[in-house]
Amino acid sequence: MGGSSSSEQVAETETLSCFTQEELSKLKSDFETGGVGKVKSLLEKKIAELNKTELNIAVTGESGAGKSTFINAMRGLRSDDPGAAEVGITETTMEPAEYSHPTLPNVRYWDLPGIGSIQFPAAKYLTKMKFERYDFFIIIAAVRFKENDVKLAKEITRLGKKFYFVCSKIDIDLVNMREEEKVINEEEELKKIRNHCVRKLAGAGFPDSSVFLISGKKPKHFDFFQLNERLEDDLNNVKKSIFVLALPNLSVEIVQKKSKILRNCIWMFATLSGGLGTIPVPGVSLTCDIGILIGAIVCFQKYLGLDDASFQRLAKRAGKPVEELKEAVKSPLLGEITIDAIMKLGWVATAAAISAVEFALHHVPVIGSIFGAGSSFLMTYKILSDALKELTESAERMVKFVSKTD
């Protein structure tokens, strides 16, 4: 069997990162022996994983360290939004408090009571907090880490899970410095704080620790982006994708990351459309599964923050009417998605006119090309590609508009 070129291997790896190599081999084998019908169940399972995969993130630290503000920032919420973690409340519960993501409910942040508020050792603390439930731990301290934070980190390490040191309320620390000294060099002061934390942690047995300086109230500043990049890099396959899709749209770069993940799913939607009972598209001889087409675009809306609930939150944050925000975004794919709305955009006619050979050679990823013989595949792939491009550009416009009002 001949080997693939390096460019083909890179394309296939990027497109199919949620599959293991064994699954890819089985996918190809099943298609060769049984066609699309035989691979349908695996593709449906992979698409469903974007909605069903759980990601549980534990946030711990002493009361008043900024845990609630951090959890809200990670979910793109303000303290007065429905479902937001209460900020400034004295810690009274000894149980973890669960906070689901507003659009991806299987992504959950858990506010754990600080170990200093419970009178037993770190090992028993983690048992009480159901240690195995969490994918990783965020240890938050208000500017400086304390003995209990270090004890907990050692126990998390012993049990084989990852943790991250986060110093919160950095904005308040800088304000206090300015009040004392009037003029400060912010970059130098941040460097001093970080170096101090790193030295203290090294002395406590963590010589290679990274410390992220953040402000939950100002997530576009300091190390908030760097922290999220580290968390993303340390996750694998589907959980990595889910984490990125759950990030608030704080920058164009985040929108583009989300778009890349969704683009890598299009061939699976198109393959299912080619293998299921197809329906003639009004006015066109080609066919596709309209339910899959509309369902996929609705998913794109949700993950890119273009659903109605996301618009309501963003309009509130920007202090603008929802209608003004939608006018700034100017997308024909806002609100309810119907086949008539898609037809009006002219994408169906473009998909119908395209050459199957040309399309398979230039648009379909390596593994997707083996499914690209049918018109339903080509129709769905082309329409979803155009729809995602339109929604991505809309989300980018929204980010830029909201940034001007922050």
Side-chain angles (χ1 to χ4, degrees), residues 139-256:
I139 301 176
I140 292 187
V143 184
R144 303 292 186 269
F145 294 102
K146 298 182 179 179
E147 183 180 357
N148 282 325
D149 299 318
V150 173
K151 285 181 179 178
L152 182 58
K154 288 180 177 178
E155 189 60 25
I156 293 171
T157 301
R158 187 182 71 81
L159 294 173
K161 293 230 175 162
K162 291 185 177 180
F163 66 87
Y164 304 86
F165 286 120
V166 173
C167 278
S168 66
K169 301 186 178 181
I170 291 299
D171 55 327
I172 296 176
D173 208 31
L174 292 175
V175 167
N176 291 337
M177 289 180 188
R178 288 190 179 97
E179 289 180 351
E180 293 176 2
E181 302 180 25
K182 304 301 181 183
V183 178
I184 65 170
N185 184 319
E186 183 173 302
E187 186 176 342
E188 284 298 318
E189 294 301 331
L190 291 174
K191 184 177 179 181
K192 289 178 185 177
I193 294 172
R194 184 180 288 104
N195 289 343
H196 173 79
C197 292
V198 168
R199 284 197 305 271
K200 289 293 184 181
L201 291 171
F206 296 98
D208 301 315
S209 294
S210 295
V211 175
F212 299 92
L213 311 181
I214 71 160
S215 164
K217 292 183 178 180
K218 296 183 177 182
K220 292 184 180 181
H221 298 78
F222 312 115
D223 294 342
F224 199 82
F225 287 105
Q226 291 89 328
L227 171 63
N228 285 326
E229 286 177 354
R230 172 66 67 82
L231 299 178
E232 175 191 344
D233 289 343
D234 287 350
L235 290 167
N236 296 318
N237 298 325
V238 176
K239 290 198 174 186
K240 177 198 272 297
S241 297
I242 289 297
F243 178 77
V244 173
L245 292 174
L247 288 173
N249 285 353
L250 297 175
S251 69
V252 168
E253 289 73 22
I254 290 176
V255 171
Q256 290 171 347

Side-chain angles (χ1 to χ4, degrees), residues 288-304:
C288 67
D289 190 288
I290 293 172
I292 287 177
L293 194 65
I294 293 175
I297 295 175
V298 170
C299 283
F300 296 167
Q301 281 182 330
K302 179 177 72 171
Y303 293 134
L304 289 170

